[in-house]
Amino acid sequence: MIRADPSNFVQTPIRVTLVTMDTHLASAAHKAYAKLRRKIEGLTFSIHAASEWSKSADRVEACIQDIEAADIVIVTMLFLEDHFQPILPALEARRDRCDVMVCAMSAPEVVKLTKMRQFDMAKPATGIMGLLKRMRGKGKTQTGGAAQMRMLRRLPRILKYIPGTAQDARAYFLTLQYWLGGSEENIRHMIAFLIERYAAGPREKLKTGKAVPEPVDYPDVGVYHPAMKGRFSEKLTDLPKTLKRSERRGRVGLLLLRSYLLAGNAAHYDGVIAALEAKGLEVVPAFASGLDARPAIEKFFIEDGETTVDALVSLTGFSLVGGPAYNDAKAAEEVLATLDVPYLTAHPVEFQTLDEWGGSDRGLSPVESTIMVA
């Protein structure tokens, strides 16, 4: 949980509250706010992670208080009832009294609270609203992450020249792009974009009048290494050669979660990479957008129909094809059969500390079992 610095309160404040599932974007959001507050007088910002609520009722209450006072409310990744039910009444009460409320990639009860001027997700899914329904898909029939990202990038370009509600729908899709490209830069631009477009009443005078840069694009599918220039690349050959050929004892494909990498929250990945390399293993750390690992597997672990790794390790915390919203086990079986190598998937203790996990008789919490196993 990050809350605003009271020293930044002025006569005309503009309060932004972000509520999401976990803390992986907290460091990027904190850096974004530190830069924004120097440019936007009166800006206060808070970020709350639902994964922390089970530890303290005070954290839930702090989130509710910030929602009740917020001018701009952003809610993402709240799928579980334990996460969204405690704050749902506060969101419902604030919806018509804040400047803008953006709710995305969450349970239907949450998503429908989105209200961006004329763009109201509580209304029937007709016209522009129908686009969102098609984006969400239905169960296992939905398209893969890469296809959804391509669609997400096209829609703002298509909607740019359509007047009326389409412009607020475009703002919704741009907000999604900023969030999914969750670097410090994109989080900063997301907040600035919503302020410039939606700050109302006395807060309008806080607008700068300057155009906000559109979302920065990062590779949908790529490789990562802390010792590589820029850390990201779409080319396998850009990975650093950390071992001599005579020292190599095997080659491991490592699957990472793209959102953690973009947020600069990758110390745990760096540690695994270093530990594997210390054992004489060549490591190919790869990622794909969304929660479908197949594009990364097909691009970096298979060449000319032949498997190029001796083992596959997933550190994403999710199923190979899917995530908390759906799971395509058949597709995962097919790609694993094609690889035909040992597969190890690690489950991070996302919603508890290692000490809490070690001292518990049940191990993973119900939330972790639901999202990462079931």
Side-chain angles (χ1 to χ4, degrees), residues 117 195-200 203-209:
R117 288 189 188 143
I195 289 173
E196 287 295 318
R197 181 166 180 83
Y198 292 105
R203 293 170 293 281
E204 288 196 54
K205 67 181 181 181
L206 300 176
K207 296 181 180 180
T208 65

Side-chain angles (χ1 to χ4, degrees), residues 93-365:
R94 190 62 184 168
R95 183 176 187 260
D96 293 326
R97 296 190 290 120
C98 61
D99 295 343
V100 61
M101 182 174 287
V102 186
C103 303
M105 297 172 289
S106 298
E109 296 95 324
V110 178
V111 173
K112 74 176 185 179
L113 296 178
T114 295
K115 189 173 182 182
M116 307 170 76
R117 288 189 188 143
Q118 300 179 60
F119 185 66
D120 188 338
M121 291 283 279
K123 293 181 179 178
T126 58
I128 295 299
M129 293 293 295
L131 291 175
L132 280 181
K133 188 175 181 180
R134 288 193 291 274
M135 275 289 290
R136 287 200 304 268
K138 293 183 179 180
K140 295 184 180 182
T141 64
Q142 61 183 288
T143 57
Q148 289 189 348
M149 287 302 295
R150 286 195 297 271
M151 185 187 300
L152 184 58
R153 291 191 184 100
R154 284 198 303 268
L155 282 171
R157 294 196 290 268
I158 295 170
L159 296 172
K160 187 174 183 178
Y161 304 102
I162 304 175
T165 306
Q167 291 310 298
D168 292 311
R170 180 175 185 268
Y172 182 86
F173 288 119
L174 284 174
T175 303
L176 278 177
Q177 281 186 250
Y178 284 122
W179 174 259
L180 291 171
S183 62
E184 178 269 319
E185 187 176 11
N186 274 334
I187 297 299
R188 185 173 78 248
H189 291 157
M190 177 184 73
I191 296 171
F193 171 73
L194 291 173
I195 289 173
E196 287 295 318
R197 181 166 180 83
Y198 292 105
R203 293 170 293 281
E204 288 196 54
K205 67 181 181 181
L206 300 176
K207 296 181 180 180
T208 65
K210 297 179 180 178
V212 178
E214 293 201 355
V216 178
D217 271 340
Y218 298 97
D220 285 338
V221 182
V223 288
Y224 164 87
H225 199 285
M228 182 169 60
K229 184 179 180 180
R231 294 193 164 214
F232 302 97
S233 177
E234 296 180 84
K235 297 180 181 178
L236 187 63
T237 53
D238 286 342
L239 283 174
K241 301 294 187 288
T242 58
L243 298 170
K244 296 179 182 179
R245 185 174 293 275
S246 60
E247 298 173 331
R248 297 175 193 165
R249 299 176 56 194
R251 198 165 193 248
V252 177
L254 194 62
L255 292 173
L256 312 177
L257 202 58
R258 179 176 177 267
S259 58
Y260 278 75
L261 299 175
L262 295 182
N265 189 359
H268 53 314
Y269 293 156
D270 296 348
V272 173
I273 292 169
L276 291 173
E277 290 176 342
K279 295 289 186 180
L281 297 169
E282 182 183 7
V283 185
V284 183
F287 61 87
S289 62
L291 293 170
D292 183 349
R294 288 175 297 179
I297 292 171
E298 292 162 358
K299 183 171 183 178
F300 300 115
F301 306 151
I302 299 173
E303 184 176 348
D304 297 327
E306 298 293 326
T307 300
T308 60
V309 295
D310 301 302
L312 177 65
V313 177
S314 173
L315 301 182
T316 67
F318 294 108
S319 52
L320 199 67
V321 184
Y326 83 110
N327 171 42
D328 193 336
K330 186 175 186 300
E333 290 172 6
E334 290 172 354
V335 71
L336 289 173
T338 299
L339 284 174
D340 194 23
V341 296
Y343 172 53
L344 176 67
T345 177
H347 293 289
V349 284
E350 183 80 24
F351 302 97
Q352 58 183 319
T353 66
L354 284 173
D355 288 341
E356 289 169 340
W357 171 78
S360 168
D361 291 334
R362 68 186 179 192
L364 293 179
S365 69

Side-chain angles (χ1 to χ4, degrees), residues 4-6 8-10 13-17 33 40 42-46:
D5 180 354
N8 202 41
F9 278 80
V10 295
I14 183 162
R15 302 179 180 90
V16 179
T17 291
Y33 171 55
I40 304 175
L43 173 64
T44 63
F45 175 76
S46 62

